[in-house]
Amino acid sequence: MSTPEVDGGVLHALRVGGWLGAERFPAWGVAEPDGPLTRLTGAGLVRQVRSPRGELYGLTPEGTEAATAVVGDWLAGLTGDGRAALTAALAGFEAHDGSLKKLVTDYQAGGRETVGRDLRDFHERARDALAAAAAAAPLWVSYPRRLEDALLRVEKGELDHVASPLLESYHTVWHLAHRDLRLLCEALQP
């Protein structure tokens, strides 16, 4: 399926996530990434490299420009209230960022026994900020579900889902959401 929304979704995921394997795109709302990746690679917007982790995709400089244009086009249609909602979503999200960093640091320093409970408590405190971010921009709709999925895995004992950068861990998804919010809010600045 070749649509601007699908191609734009791939470009946006790569702009925020950096180098991604094809298996990571469904989390970004691109269920079947092979066609768009092939098309965007052929257009010179995406490049593919082999790595020890498998095939990875990243943006070319032209792809970065195209991804920035996708966001710019979306922002151009926002009202003043929509822009205010984006800025408020970032502020609400950032209010919780330091707490998550401390939780992850404590976990990495040996706090494995309570990490599931601690992460659940954090997630409940951040729930309203996550919902506000998801409501503020269609680009952010997937983040609450992705964070909940990582949390459930941690609660089942899959502790790699606390902070591993190689998968959809809680800290990784939080970091991507934070980067995504910041990039979009930076684009709001004149």
Side-chain angles (χ1 to χ4, degrees), residues 92-114:
F93 195 90
E94 286 187 332
H96 296 283
D97 194 53
S99 296
L100 181 62
K101 286 178 182 174
K102 181 179 181 338
L103 188 153
V104 170
T105 299
D106 291 348
Y107 160 74
Q108 291 171 331
R112 300 173 73 83
E113 300 80 32
T114 62

Side-chain angles (χ1 to χ4, degrees), residues 20-151:
L20 297 174
E23 75 283 355
R24 298 286 294 270
F25 286 94
W28 293 88
V30 180
E32 297 180 18
D34 292 341
L37 287 168
T38 299
R39 191 169 44 257
L40 293 167
T41 300
L45 301 177
V46 170
R47 60 183 166 209
Q48 178 184 19
V49 298
R50 293 186 191 275
S51 80
R53 290 182 17 218
E55 299 292 326
L56 296 176
Y57 297 88
L59 294 176
T60 64
E62 295 81 8
T64 299
E65 288 178 22
T68 301
V70 167
V71 170
D73 290 347
W74 180 77
L75 287 173
L78 280 184
T79 64
D81 288 345
R83 289 171 178 261
L86 290 177
T87 303
L90 176 61
F93 195 90
E94 286 187 332
H96 296 283
D97 194 53
S99 296
L100 181 62
K101 286 178 182 174
K102 181 179 181 338
L103 188 153
V104 170
T105 299
D106 291 348
Y107 160 74
Q108 291 171 331
R112 300 173 73 83
E113 300 80 32
T114 62
V115 70
R117 184 184 70 235
D118 295 345
L119 196 56
R120 172 59 69 186
D121 290 346
F122 169 82
H123 188 75
E124 294 304 322
R125 288 190 310 273
R127 187 176 297 279
D128 289 344
L130 297 171
L139 300 170
W140 302 336
V141 169
S142 72
Y143 289 120
R145 176 191 45 77
R146 292 163 68 186
L147 288 164
E148 183 71 29
D149 288 348
L151 173 59

